[in-house]
């Protein structure tokens, strides 16, 4: 099962991808996570992309496409994968067609009001990779990861000044992919407003019909 999770930042794509990964035993490939790992490890790519991520702009297509092309060559992607946050532009979607066959594109729909609430309350644990929300999914001990105990941080691009820009970038560059995949008959609409448990139930129902 080769899946794309599409939708605005903060729609819950990563949260649901973790559950789909556990239930269906397919890797969760988040381009945002891959770039953040490069930044954390101070690689050449990390140095190139840090300021872009912090501002909420998109990394150039060529670099992003090459990173995904290489990732999909790894053994764990052979029986399926979840692409989370890729493609984000029409050229990325066109390039993907040259190296992967997609079975379904889940489009997570969420109001702007909810997006802003989710992004501004999101907190992450860098080492464990776990994602929390100060109200909707708080850790057991405030400010600390349940798994690793490390301090939770706010992503620089979840600060108010970057959120507005990311939503504009999404509308301009990524939202056109909704029609692109609808025309190919691949689009599956997910109502991302309810709780993560309810969203996951919807997703499982849709995946059973794939
Ligand atoms: P995305 O991967 O689409 O950017 P995330 O999965 O990181 O989004 O979710 C954004 C924030 O919203 C996180 O803090 C997460 O804990 C929270 N969240 C995710 N899904 C839901 C949901 N269904 N209801 C409430 N909060 C949610
Ligand atoms: P995300 O974790 O999906 O919210 O992505 C965080 C940031 O990584 C984005 O705001 C972009 O700067 C960068 N990024 C992630 N995926 C892509 C992509 N497919 N194309 C370009 N930039 C990306």
């Amino acid at each position: 099962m080769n899946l794309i999770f599409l939708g605005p930042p903060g729609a819950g794509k990563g949260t649901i991808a973790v559950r789909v990964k556990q239930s269906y035993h397919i890797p969760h490939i988040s381009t945002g996570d891959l770039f953040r790992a490069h930044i954390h490890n101070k690689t050449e790519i990390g140095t190139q992309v840090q300021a872009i991520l912090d501002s909420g702009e998109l990394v150039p297509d060529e670099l992003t496409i090459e990173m995904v092309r290489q990732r999909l060559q790894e053994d764990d992607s052979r029986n399926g994968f979840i692409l989370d946050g890729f493609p984000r532009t029409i050229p990325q979607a066109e390039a993907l067609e040259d190296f992967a066959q997609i079975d379904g594109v889940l489009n997570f729909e969420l109001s702007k009001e909810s997006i802003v609430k989710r992004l501004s309350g999101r907190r992450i644990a860098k080492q464990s990779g776990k994602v929390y929300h100060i109200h909707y999914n708080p850790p057991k001990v405030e400010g600390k990861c349940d798994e690793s105990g490390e301090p939770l941080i706010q992503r620089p691009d979840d600060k108010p000044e970057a959120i507005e820009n990311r939503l504009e970038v999404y509308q301009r560059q990524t939202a056109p992919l909704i029609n692109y995949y609808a025309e190919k008959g691949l689009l599956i609409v997910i109502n991302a407003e309810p709780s993560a448990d309810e969203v996951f139930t919807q997703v499982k129902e849709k995946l059973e019909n794939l």
Side-chain angles (χ1 to χ4, degrees):
M1 203 163 44
N2 297 348
L3 303 173
I4 290 172
F5 280 14
L6 184 65
K13 302 182 296 297
T15 300
I16 299 300
V18 168
R19 297 184 186 209
V20 171
K21 172 188 166 164
Q22 282 161 358
S23 298
Y24 295 83
H25 309 291
I26 52 177
H28 167 208
I29 301 173
S30 155
T31 41
D33 284 350
L34 292 175
F35 286 131
R36 280 185 290 276
H38 275 289
I39 293 171
H40 182 74
N41 295 325
K42 300 190 164 47
T43 67
E44 205 181 312
I45 291 181
T47 315
Q48 274 178 54
V49 304
Q50 171 141 36
I52 301 177
L53 261 81
D54 288 354
S55 69
E57 293 296 318
L58 295 185
V59 173
D61 283 337
E62 208 178 316
L63 175 60
T64 308
I65 291 163
E66 185 52 24
M67 183 176 74
V68 174
R69 199 183 61 74
Q70 283 182 21
R71 178 63 185 84
L72 288 182
Q73 280 173 359
E74 287 177 31
D75 280 352
D76 64 344
S77 309
R78 237 186 266 153
N79 296 322
F81 53 79
I82 308 156
L83 283 177
D84 164 10
F86 182 93
R88 250 176 163 100
T89 64
I90 299 275
Q92 290 180 13
E94 288 170 347
L96 179 64
E97 279 163 27
D98 293 338
F99 55 85
Q101 163 108 35
I102 298 302
D103 301 312
V105 178
L106 277 63
N107 184 37
F108 288 67
E109 289 188 349
L110 194 69
S111 69
K112 182 173 174 192
E113 197 192 339
S114 301
I115 293 172
V116 173
K117 282 187 189 154
R118 287 193 190 174
L119 290 177
S120 48
R122 173 160 63 186
R123 297 292 182 273
I124 62 162
K126 269 195 169 174
Q127 274 163 37
S128 70
K130 288 196 70 138
V131 176
Y132 297 86
H133 190 283
I134 51 172
H135 302 303
Y136 309 137
N137 179 27
K140 293 194 183 86
V141 178
E142 199 186 325
K144 291 220 162 92
C145 177
D146 296 345
E147 208 174 277
S148 61
E150 71 193 283
L152 301 182
I153 58 154
Q154 184 173 38
R155 279 170 46 175
D157 57 348
D158 281 345
K159 304 231 155 93
E161 54 279 19
I163 290 180
E164 221 27 67
N165 189 35
R166 285 166 75 203
L167 295 183
E168 275 170 34
V169 168
Y170 168 77
Q171 280 307 334
R172 200 171 58 241
Q173 309 207 57
T174 307
L177 291 174
I178 299 172
N179 264 341
Y180 180 90
Y181 285 118
E183 281 169 9
K184 292 184 185 293
L186 288 173
L187 200 76
I188 299 163
V189 175
I190 302 295
N191 172 13
E193 291 287 350
S195 70
D197 285 350
E198 286 173 76
V199 176
F200 184 48
T201 301
Q202 271 181 70
V203 167
K204 279 190 293 191
E205 280 168 12
K206 306 269 172 153
L207 293 183
E208 270 157 31
N209 297 327
L210 257 192

